[in-house]
Short mmCIF file of all heavy atoms in Angstrom, two decimals:
data_model
loop_
_atom_site.label_atom_id
_atom_site.label_comp_id
_atom_site.label_asym_id
_atom_site.label_seq_id
_atom_site.Cartn_x
_atom_site.Cartn_y
_atom_site.Cartn_z
N ALA A 1 90.19 -5.65 164.05
CA ALA A 1 89.37 -5.84 165.31
C ALA A 1 89.36 -4.56 166.11
O ALA A 1 88.25 -4.17 166.65
CB ALA A 1 89.84 -7.03 166.02
N LEU A 2 90.47 -3.87 166.23
CA LEU A 2 90.58 -2.63 167.04
C LEU A 2 89.72 -1.63 166.42
O LEU A 2 89.07 -0.90 167.13
CB LEU A 2 92.03 -2.17 167.08
CG LEU A 2 92.30 -0.86 167.68
CD1 LEU A 2 91.94 -0.75 169.11
CD2 LEU A 2 93.75 -0.42 167.53
N ILE A 3 89.74 -1.51 165.10
CA ILE A 3 88.94 -0.48 164.34
C ILE A 3 87.47 -0.72 164.63
O ILE A 3 86.69 0.20 164.80
CB ILE A 3 89.24 -0.40 162.88
CG1 ILE A 3 90.66 0.16 162.66
CG2 ILE A 3 88.29 0.35 162.12
CD1 ILE A 3 91.17 0.08 161.25
N LEU A 4 87.01 -2.02 164.53
CA LEU A 4 85.64 -2.35 164.66
C LEU A 4 85.10 -2.00 166.14
O LEU A 4 84.08 -1.45 166.26
CB LEU A 4 85.47 -3.81 164.42
CG LEU A 4 85.45 -4.26 162.99
CD1 LEU A 4 85.34 -5.83 162.89
CD2 LEU A 4 84.40 -3.61 162.21
N ILE A 5 86.01 -2.23 167.06
CA ILE A 5 85.67 -1.96 168.50
C ILE A 5 85.57 -0.40 168.58
O ILE A 5 84.51 0.12 169.14
CB ILE A 5 86.70 -2.42 169.49
CG1 ILE A 5 86.65 -3.92 169.50
CG2 ILE A 5 86.54 -1.85 170.85
CD1 ILE A 5 87.83 -4.55 170.19
N LEU A 6 86.44 0.35 168.12
CA LEU A 6 86.45 1.89 168.21
C LEU A 6 85.22 2.38 167.37
O LEU A 6 84.65 3.35 167.82
CB LEU A 6 87.73 2.46 167.68
CG LEU A 6 88.96 2.13 168.42
CD1 LEU A 6 90.21 2.70 167.66
CD2 LEU A 6 88.90 2.75 169.83
N LEU A 7 84.89 1.79 166.25
CA LEU A 7 83.69 2.21 165.55
C LEU A 7 82.43 2.02 166.35
O LEU A 7 81.58 2.90 166.37
CB LEU A 7 83.60 1.47 164.22
CG LEU A 7 84.49 1.94 163.05
CD1 LEU A 7 84.45 0.84 161.96
CD2 LEU A 7 84.19 3.22 162.54
N TYR A 8 82.38 0.89 167.03
CA TYR A 8 81.25 0.64 167.95
C TYR A 8 81.15 1.63 169.03
O TYR A 8 80.02 2.18 169.32
CB TYR A 8 81.30 -0.82 168.45
CG TYR A 8 80.21 -0.99 169.55
CD1 TYR A 8 78.81 -1.23 169.19
CD2 TYR A 8 80.55 -1.07 170.83
CE1 TYR A 8 77.89 -1.43 170.12
CE2 TYR A 8 79.62 -1.31 171.86
CZ TYR A 8 78.26 -1.50 171.49
OH TYR A 8 77.34 -1.63 172.38
N LEU A 9 82.23 1.95 169.68
CA LEU A 9 82.36 2.90 170.76
C LEU A 9 81.90 4.37 170.29
O LEU A 9 81.29 5.07 171.08
CB LEU A 9 83.67 2.91 171.41
CG LEU A 9 84.06 1.67 172.16
CD1 LEU A 9 85.57 1.74 172.68
CD2 LEU A 9 83.12 1.37 173.25
N SER A 10 82.25 4.69 169.10
CA SER A 10 82.14 6.11 168.55
C SER A 10 80.87 6.33 167.78
O SER A 10 80.25 7.32 167.74
CB SER A 10 83.40 6.46 167.82
OG SER A 10 83.20 7.83 167.41
N CYS A 11 80.51 5.31 166.84
CA CYS A 11 79.64 5.57 165.79
C CYS A 11 78.20 5.16 166.06
O CYS A 11 77.35 5.10 165.15
CB CYS A 11 80.15 4.79 164.53
SG CYS A 11 81.73 5.43 163.94
N SER A 12 77.83 4.87 167.27
CA SER A 12 76.41 4.63 167.59
C SER A 12 75.64 5.90 167.66
O SER A 12 74.38 5.87 167.64
CB SER A 12 76.31 3.75 168.91
OG SER A 12 76.88 4.50 169.97
N TYR A 13 76.33 7.09 167.81
CA TYR A 13 75.65 8.26 167.95
C TYR A 13 74.65 8.69 166.93
O TYR A 13 73.57 9.05 167.25
CB TYR A 13 76.74 9.47 168.11
CG TYR A 13 76.20 10.79 168.16
CD1 TYR A 13 75.60 11.28 169.38
CD2 TYR A 13 76.17 11.69 167.03
CE1 TYR A 13 75.11 12.56 169.43
CE2 TYR A 13 75.70 12.96 167.16
CZ TYR A 13 75.19 13.34 168.33
OH TYR A 13 74.69 14.63 168.34
N PRO A 14 74.97 8.54 165.62
CA PRO A 14 73.95 8.88 164.62
C PRO A 14 72.60 8.20 164.77
O PRO A 14 71.61 8.68 164.42
CB PRO A 14 74.69 8.55 163.30
CG PRO A 14 76.14 8.62 163.58
CD PRO A 14 76.24 8.11 164.99
N ILE A 15 72.67 6.86 165.23
CA ILE A 15 71.45 6.18 165.30
C ILE A 15 70.69 6.33 166.69
O ILE A 15 69.51 6.63 166.64
CB ILE A 15 71.77 4.64 165.15
CG1 ILE A 15 72.39 4.41 163.80
CG2 ILE A 15 70.53 3.77 165.35
CD1 ILE A 15 72.96 3.01 163.56
N THR A 16 71.43 6.34 167.70
CA THR A 16 70.81 6.39 169.07
C THR A 16 70.85 7.79 169.74
O THR A 16 70.08 8.08 170.63
CB THR A 16 71.49 5.38 169.98
OG1 THR A 16 72.90 5.85 170.28
CG2 THR A 16 71.56 4.02 169.47
N GLY A 17 71.77 8.70 169.27
CA GLY A 17 71.89 9.96 169.76
C GLY A 17 72.85 9.90 171.07
O GLY A 17 73.10 10.83 171.68
N ASN A 18 73.33 8.62 171.41
CA ASN A 18 74.27 8.50 172.53
C ASN A 18 75.40 7.57 172.05
O ASN A 18 75.26 6.80 171.15
CB ASN A 18 73.59 7.84 173.70
CG ASN A 18 72.44 8.72 174.25
OD1 ASN A 18 72.72 9.73 174.86
ND2 ASN A 18 71.21 8.34 173.98
N ASN A 19 76.57 7.70 172.71
CA ASN A 19 77.70 6.78 172.51
C ASN A 19 78.58 6.81 173.65
O ASN A 19 78.36 7.60 174.59
CB ASN A 19 78.41 7.08 171.19
CG ASN A 19 78.96 8.50 171.15
OD1 ASN A 19 78.83 9.31 172.09
ND2 ASN A 19 79.65 8.87 170.05
N PHE A 20 79.61 6.04 173.64
CA PHE A 20 80.59 5.93 174.75
C PHE A 20 81.42 7.12 174.85
O PHE A 20 81.63 7.71 175.89
CB PHE A 20 81.42 4.66 174.61
CG PHE A 20 80.72 3.40 174.80
CD1 PHE A 20 79.97 2.72 173.76
CD2 PHE A 20 80.67 2.81 176.07
CE1 PHE A 20 79.30 1.57 174.04
CE2 PHE A 20 80.07 1.64 176.25
CZ PHE A 20 79.31 0.97 175.26
N TYR A 21 81.93 7.61 173.67
CA TYR A 21 82.77 8.74 173.59
C TYR A 21 82.48 9.61 172.40
O TYR A 21 81.90 9.10 171.38
CB TYR A 21 84.24 8.22 173.51
CG TYR A 21 84.68 7.44 174.69
CD1 TYR A 21 84.80 6.04 174.54
CD2 TYR A 21 85.06 7.98 175.86
CE1 TYR A 21 85.15 5.17 175.57
CE2 TYR A 21 85.38 7.17 176.94
CZ TYR A 21 85.43 5.83 176.87
OH TYR A 21 85.89 4.98 177.85
N GLY A 22 82.84 10.78 172.38
CA GLY A 22 83.02 11.58 171.19
C GLY A 22 81.77 12.47 170.81
O GLY A 22 81.87 13.35 170.01
N GLY A 23 80.60 12.18 171.49
CA GLY A 23 79.49 13.07 171.09
C GLY A 23 79.14 13.05 169.63
O GLY A 23 79.02 11.99 169.05
N GLY A 24 79.27 14.25 169.04
CA GLY A 24 79.04 14.33 167.54
C GLY A 24 80.29 14.26 166.81
O GLY A 24 80.39 14.50 165.63
N GLY A 25 81.37 13.76 167.42
CA GLY A 25 82.67 13.67 166.71
C GLY A 25 83.59 14.78 166.85
O GLY A 25 84.68 14.82 166.30
N TYR A 26 83.18 15.83 167.64
CA TYR A 26 84.03 16.98 167.81
C TYR A 26 84.98 16.74 168.93
O TYR A 26 84.83 17.24 170.05
CB TYR A 26 83.18 18.21 168.21
CG TYR A 26 82.29 18.73 167.09
CD1 TYR A 26 80.92 18.18 166.95
CD2 TYR A 26 82.72 19.63 166.22
CE1 TYR A 26 80.13 18.60 165.93
CE2 TYR A 26 81.84 20.15 165.20
CZ TYR A 26 80.61 19.61 165.09
OH TYR A 26 79.73 19.99 164.10
N GLY A 27 85.97 15.97 168.71
CA GLY A 27 86.98 15.73 169.77
C GLY A 27 88.03 14.72 169.34
O GLY A 27 88.04 14.22 168.21
N LEU A 28 88.94 14.53 170.33
CA LEU A 28 90.09 13.66 170.11
C LEU A 28 89.74 12.25 169.77
O LEU A 28 90.37 11.63 168.90
CB LEU A 28 90.98 13.70 171.39
CG LEU A 28 92.22 12.80 171.30
CD1 LEU A 28 93.15 13.24 170.25
CD2 LEU A 28 92.99 12.85 172.71
N PHE A 29 88.73 11.67 170.38
CA PHE A 29 88.49 10.27 170.25
C PHE A 29 88.12 9.95 168.76
O PHE A 29 88.71 8.96 168.25
CB PHE A 29 87.29 9.84 171.17
CG PHE A 29 87.06 8.33 171.10
CD1 PHE A 29 87.75 7.53 171.98
CD2 PHE A 29 86.11 7.73 170.28
CE1 PHE A 29 87.57 6.15 171.97
CE2 PHE A 29 85.93 6.34 170.24
CZ PHE A 29 86.66 5.55 171.13
N THR A 30 87.21 10.60 168.15
CA THR A 30 86.91 10.41 166.70
C THR A 30 88.05 10.62 165.85
O THR A 30 88.32 9.87 164.85
CB THR A 30 85.67 11.27 166.28
OG1 THR A 30 84.61 11.03 167.09
CG2 THR A 30 85.31 10.96 164.90
N MET A 31 88.84 11.61 166.08
CA MET A 31 90.04 11.91 165.22
C MET A 31 91.07 10.82 165.35
O MET A 31 91.74 10.45 164.41
CB MET A 31 90.67 13.31 165.58
CG MET A 31 89.73 14.49 165.42
SD MET A 31 89.17 14.74 163.78
CE MET A 31 87.38 14.24 163.99
N LEU A 32 91.29 10.21 166.57
CA LEU A 32 92.14 9.10 166.76
C LEU A 32 91.62 7.90 165.97
O LEU A 32 92.37 7.17 165.29
CB LEU A 32 92.26 8.76 168.21
CG LEU A 32 93.20 9.63 169.08
CD1 LEU A 32 93.05 9.18 170.52
CD2 LEU A 32 94.60 9.56 168.65
N LEU A 33 90.27 7.73 166.00
CA LEU A 33 89.74 6.53 165.25
C LEU A 33 90.03 6.65 163.78
O LEU A 33 90.40 5.72 163.15
CB LEU A 33 88.17 6.58 165.42
CG LEU A 33 87.33 5.78 164.51
CD1 LEU A 33 87.64 4.28 164.61
CD2 LEU A 33 85.79 6.07 164.76
N ILE A 34 89.74 7.84 163.23
CA ILE A 34 90.08 8.06 161.80
C ILE A 34 91.51 7.90 161.47
O ILE A 34 91.90 7.30 160.47
CB ILE A 34 89.53 9.43 161.40
CG1 ILE A 34 87.95 9.49 161.48
CG2 ILE A 34 89.84 9.79 159.90
CD1 ILE A 34 87.39 10.85 161.36
N TYR A 35 92.38 8.36 162.35
CA TYR A 35 93.87 8.23 162.17
C TYR A 35 94.19 6.75 162.07
O TYR A 35 94.92 6.34 161.21
CB TYR A 35 94.60 9.00 163.33
CG TYR A 35 96.11 8.92 163.03
CD1 TYR A 35 96.72 10.00 162.35
CD2 TYR A 35 96.89 7.94 163.61
CE1 TYR A 35 98.09 9.97 162.08
CE2 TYR A 35 98.29 7.94 163.39
CZ TYR A 35 98.85 8.95 162.71
OH TYR A 35 100.27 8.95 162.42
N ILE A 36 93.60 5.97 162.99
CA ILE A 36 93.98 4.58 162.98
C ILE A 36 93.43 3.81 161.77
O ILE A 36 94.12 2.91 161.15
CB ILE A 36 93.38 3.89 164.27
CG1 ILE A 36 94.14 4.44 165.51
CG2 ILE A 36 93.39 2.34 164.21
CD1 ILE A 36 93.52 4.03 166.85
N ILE A 37 92.27 4.18 161.29
CA ILE A 37 91.65 3.67 160.00
C ILE A 37 92.59 3.97 158.93
O ILE A 37 92.89 3.13 158.07
CB ILE A 37 90.25 4.23 159.76
CG1 ILE A 37 89.31 3.68 160.83
CG2 ILE A 37 89.81 3.80 158.41
CD1 ILE A 37 87.84 4.30 160.70
N ALA A 38 93.05 5.20 158.92
CA ALA A 38 93.96 5.63 157.82
C ALA A 38 95.32 4.99 157.88
O ALA A 38 95.87 4.64 156.78
CB ALA A 38 94.23 7.16 157.97
N ARG A 39 95.89 4.68 159.10
CA ARG A 39 97.09 3.95 159.20
C ARG A 39 96.93 2.52 158.63
O ARG A 39 97.78 2.01 157.91
CB ARG A 39 97.58 3.85 160.66
CG ARG A 39 98.08 5.14 161.22
CD ARG A 39 99.27 5.72 160.52
NE ARG A 39 100.39 4.84 160.33
CZ ARG A 39 101.06 4.75 159.22
NH1 ARG A 39 100.65 5.30 158.10
NH2 ARG A 39 102.12 3.91 159.21
N TYR A 40 95.74 1.97 158.95
CA TYR A 40 95.41 0.63 158.44
C TYR A 40 95.41 0.61 156.83
O TYR A 40 96.01 -0.21 156.15
CB TYR A 40 94.14 0.12 158.99
CG TYR A 40 93.64 -1.24 158.44
CD1 TYR A 40 94.03 -2.39 159.12
CD2 TYR A 40 92.88 -1.33 157.21
CE1 TYR A 40 93.67 -3.64 158.58
CE2 TYR A 40 92.53 -2.58 156.79
CZ TYR A 40 92.89 -3.75 157.50
OH TYR A 40 92.52 -4.98 157.02
N CYS A 41 94.72 1.62 156.31
CA CYS A 41 94.61 1.76 154.86
C CYS A 41 96.02 2.00 154.25
O CYS A 41 96.27 1.50 153.18
CB CYS A 41 93.61 2.92 154.51
SG CYS A 41 91.92 2.62 154.95
N GLY A 42 96.81 2.90 154.84
CA GLY A 42 98.13 3.19 154.32
C GLY A 42 98.99 1.96 154.30
O GLY A 42 99.89 1.77 153.41
N LYS A 43 98.78 1.01 155.20
CA LYS A 43 99.53 -0.20 155.28
C LYS A 43 99.07 -1.32 154.36
O LYS A 43 99.85 -2.09 153.83
CB LYS A 43 99.57 -0.76 156.77
CG LYS A 43 100.59 -1.87 157.05
CD LYS A 43 100.53 -2.25 158.48
CE LYS A 43 101.51 -3.36 158.84
NZ LYS A 43 101.48 -3.74 160.22
N TYR A 44 97.80 -1.46 154.28
CA TYR A 44 97.20 -2.63 153.53
C TYR A 44 96.39 -2.20 152.29
O TYR A 44 96.21 -3.17 151.38
CB TYR A 44 96.35 -3.39 154.42
CG TYR A 44 97.02 -3.89 155.65
CD1 TYR A 44 96.81 -3.44 156.96
CD2 TYR A 44 97.93 -4.99 155.57
CE1 TYR A 44 97.40 -3.84 158.05
CE2 TYR A 44 98.56 -5.44 156.74
CZ TYR A 44 98.31 -4.83 157.95
OH TYR A 44 98.95 -5.45 158.99
N ILE A 45 95.98 -0.98 152.08
CA ILE A 45 95.08 -0.62 150.95
C ILE A 45 95.71 0.53 150.26
O ILE A 45 95.24 1.72 150.51
CB ILE A 45 93.66 -0.36 151.41
CG1 ILE A 45 93.17 -1.46 152.31
CG2 ILE A 45 92.72 -0.20 150.19
CD1 ILE A 45 91.74 -1.11 152.90
N PRO A 46 96.69 0.47 149.34
CA PRO A 46 97.31 1.55 148.67
C PRO A 46 96.38 2.24 147.74
O PRO A 46 96.40 3.47 147.49
CB PRO A 46 98.52 0.98 147.97
CG PRO A 46 98.17 -0.58 147.90
CD PRO A 46 97.36 -0.85 149.07
N TYR A 47 95.54 1.49 147.05
CA TYR A 47 94.58 2.06 146.03
C TYR A 47 93.21 1.35 146.06
O TYR A 47 93.08 0.18 146.57
CB TYR A 47 95.12 1.97 144.62
CG TYR A 47 96.29 2.74 144.38
CD1 TYR A 47 97.62 2.23 144.42
CD2 TYR A 47 96.22 4.11 144.05
CE1 TYR A 47 98.82 2.95 144.19
CE2 TYR A 47 97.37 4.89 143.83
CZ TYR A 47 98.62 4.32 143.89
OH TYR A 47 99.72 5.07 143.66
#
């Protein structure tokens, strides 16, 4: 649920040209999003 919320906040940019944070992804917010996704995958999706 946390990942879905962060995706919504960050990933509307490609479609609308605007988003809550991150612009084109050049910043901390998007990198934190990807890090959290990766932590989830490392915990639940080994392969």
Side-chain angles (χ1 to χ4, degrees):
L2 173 63
I3 290 170
L4 288 175
I5 293 168
L6 293 175
L7 282 169
Y8 171 73
L9 293 176
S10 179
C11 296
S12 59
Y13 175 77
I15 298 172
T16 65
N18 298 286
N19 59 0
F20 288 85
Y21 301 101
Y26 292 90
L28 176 61
F29 188 85
T30 300
M31 299 302 108
L32 283 174
L33 164 63
I34 295 166
Y35 185 87
I36 292 170
I37 293 172
R39 289 303 302 135
Y40 179 89
C41 292
K43 189 176 180 180
Y44 300 109
I45 312 174
Y47 292 98

